[in-house]
Amino acid sequence: LPPQTWTNSVNQASKTALLAWEKETGIELVQVNGQRRYGGPPPGWVGGPPPAGTEVYIGKLPQDMYEDTLIPLFQSVGKLYEFRLMMTFSGLNRGFAYARYSTQRGARDAIATFNHFQVRRGCAIVVCRSTQKRELSVDGLAASVSRWELEATLQRLTEGVLSVTLHASPCQRQAKLAVLKYSSHQAAAVAKKALMEGNLRLGGSGLRVEWLHRDLKQKLQLWEERPPSSQVPEGKSLAVPKPLALPPVLQDVLDRLNTLCWRQCLGTPLFLTKCVQVNPNGWLHFWYQVVIPGYPVPFSGFTWVRPDGQGRSGHEEAKVAVALHVLRMLGESL
């Protein structure tokens, strides 16, 4: 059989039932980038998308089961905002899907009702909270690649990139690894597929694009925390990276960040700072996290500060340094 005929002949009965269901209900399914989508938003939806915590992951699906069965099933516990079924080239599903509800309660009810639910005799599915991964690692980039060059390429090839950091590759000599953070799981998933198809021409033959693994993330953070050996003066066991000097005009960065957030209707930033290390020279090492209500992901990392002797605490100094970093990440020219 020619490939197209074989593809069309796979699971013909279920495909026919799906087409009949689409015609009967008037529901439109759109297939793009290896997934078939309903809604996002659905017909008649008013307002913005639902908040975080409204999407569930559905796994262990029979590969010949389609939306004509799945959407009515998952719609029975709450209003669906979006349903995405991952598809193979042959027209079977890939065994998993994502259902996003209009409320967090809908997602909770779906997990309570359908986790280990038998969609067919002897065929129990898995339903749990979607992890909403948003970070990719790209290993094997050429050692000569600069961050601005990579950013420019990613802006052209993908959508929704929030930040790009470059590191020495832990696996390949004379190569770099990039960590890419995207505005949503969907943007990251589409970017991952685009980059895996070989569109990123900035590396050697061994370019690897993967979801950022927790172990690798922790390893990179530890490397960032550890001051480079070239900065350790003779006779000293520990040195501190030189911090950015804050010109007097930037002492009001907190006000400036608040103003920017209100102007963009993002809400007031919430700062969490924790001192994790004190250096004998008086430097303080802080972990920080900044949560901006209207922004999809929190900002977190580490920074070194030194109290300036003008009565400001280490936590206040850390807030100023972090606010400056967040302003830069939000694209504010300083």
Side-chain angles (χ1 to χ4, degrees):
L1 284 174
Q4 197 56 47
T5 312
W6 176 82
T7 298
N8 290 339
S9 68
V10 170
N11 199 26
Q12 198 56 55
S14 295
K15 287 179 183 172
T16 305
L18 174 68
L19 289 171
W21 174 78
E22 283 184 82
K23 196 171 179 182
E24 185 188 328
T25 58
I27 281 177
E28 191 181 348
L29 300 174
V30 179
Q31 185 153 343
V32 64
N33 291 318
Q35 55 182 297
R36 198 159 58 203
R37 193 176 80 196
Y38 156 76
W45 181 269
V46 178
T54 50
E55 187 173 85
V56 298
Y57 166 84
I58 305 155
K60 296 194 174 178
L61 286 170
Q63 283 194 276
D64 60 349
M65 186 172 277
Y66 296 135
E67 291 89 343
D68 55 318
T69 302
L70 296 169
I71 287 178
L73 180 69
F74 282 88
Q75 189 105 37
S76 68
V77 294
K79 183 173 172 57
L80 282 174
Y81 173 78
E82 184 179 61
F83 189 90
R84 294 182 291 126
L85 185 63
M86 305 301 128
M87 302 299 295
T88 67
F89 171 72
S90 68
L92 294 170
N93 78 59
R94 286 169 59 198
F96 68 101
Y98 295 91
R100 191 172 180 188
Y101 285 87
S102 59
T103 62
Q104 291 174 340
R105 180 174 178 174
R108 286 197 300 270
D109 288 350
I111 293 167
T113 308
F114 296 126
N115 191 30
H116 304 310
F117 176 80
Q118 292 205 15
V119 287
R120 281 187 194 149
R121 190 169 177 169
C123 186
I125 59 173
V126 170
V127 181
C128 58
R129 270 192 72 174
S130 169
T131 52
Q132 292 286 291
K133 295 177 189 168
R134 293 189 173 105
E135 290 177 299
L136 302 176
S137 67
V138 182
D139 200 358
L141 291 165
S144 58
V145 169
S146 66
R147 202 181 84 174
W148 69 264
E149 185 184 2
L150 179 58
E151 279 182 356
T153 307
L154 290 168
Q155 297 282 6
R156 197 173 70 248
L157 295 176
T158 68
E159 286 183 19
V161 63
L162 292 180
S163 69
V164 177
T165 54
L166 274 177
H167 312 264
S169 169
C171 304
Q172 303 185 44
R173 291 184 65 185
Q174 303 299 313
K176 285 182 180 174
L177 175 139
V179 173
L180 319 178
K181 186 179 278 189
Y182 282 84
S183 57
S184 68
H185 173 73
Q186 202 162 342
V190 171
K192 180 173 182 279
K193 187 170 188 294
L195 299 177
M196 284 175 75
E197 286 168 353
N199 295 323
L200 191 63
R201 310 202 190 287
L202 294 171
S205 55
L207 202 67
R208 283 215 328 266
V209 183
E210 298 173 322
W211 292 111
L212 179 61
H213 198 272
R214 192 189 312 166
D215 293 350
L216 176 59
K217 189 172 184 174
Q218 287 173 345
K219 189 188 287 186
L220 294 173
Q221 282 178 342
L222 282 171
W223 286 357
E224 281 176 18
E225 288 173 58
R226 201 171 293 143
S229 56
S230 61
Q231 291 182 321
V232 179
E234 218 173 314
K236 295 274 174 70
S237 60
L238 181 69
V240 181
K242 195 174 178 184
L244 293 165
L246 294 181
V249 72
L250 290 177
Q251 296 302 321
D252 64 348
V253 285
L254 290 170
D255 295 337
R256 191 158 171 184
L257 178 59
N258 283 335
T259 304
L260 177 71
C261 289
W262 279 108
R263 210 167 59 224
Q264 296 184 4
C265 303
L266 297 173
T268 305
L270 172 68
F271 286 79
L272 303 170
T273 55
K274 183 179 180 182
C275 186
V276 293
Q277 188 180 347
V278 180
N279 185 275
N281 301 333
W283 289 90
L284 307 173
H285 199 196
F286 277 88
W287 169 86
Y288 66 84
Q289 186 170 69
V290 184
V291 178
I292 300 175
Y295 203 71
V297 287
F299 297 90
S300 59
F302 294 86
T303 187
W304 287 95
V305 297
R306 190 176 192 175
D308 66 351
Q310 294 178 12
R312 278 215 302 247
S313 71
H315 283 273
E316 288 170 320
E317 286 292 329
K319 278 178 75 170
V320 170
V322 171
L324 183 58
H325 170 70
V326 173
L327 275 167
R328 286 199 173 107
M329 295 298 289
L330 292 173
E332 185 79 338
S333 55
L334 300 168

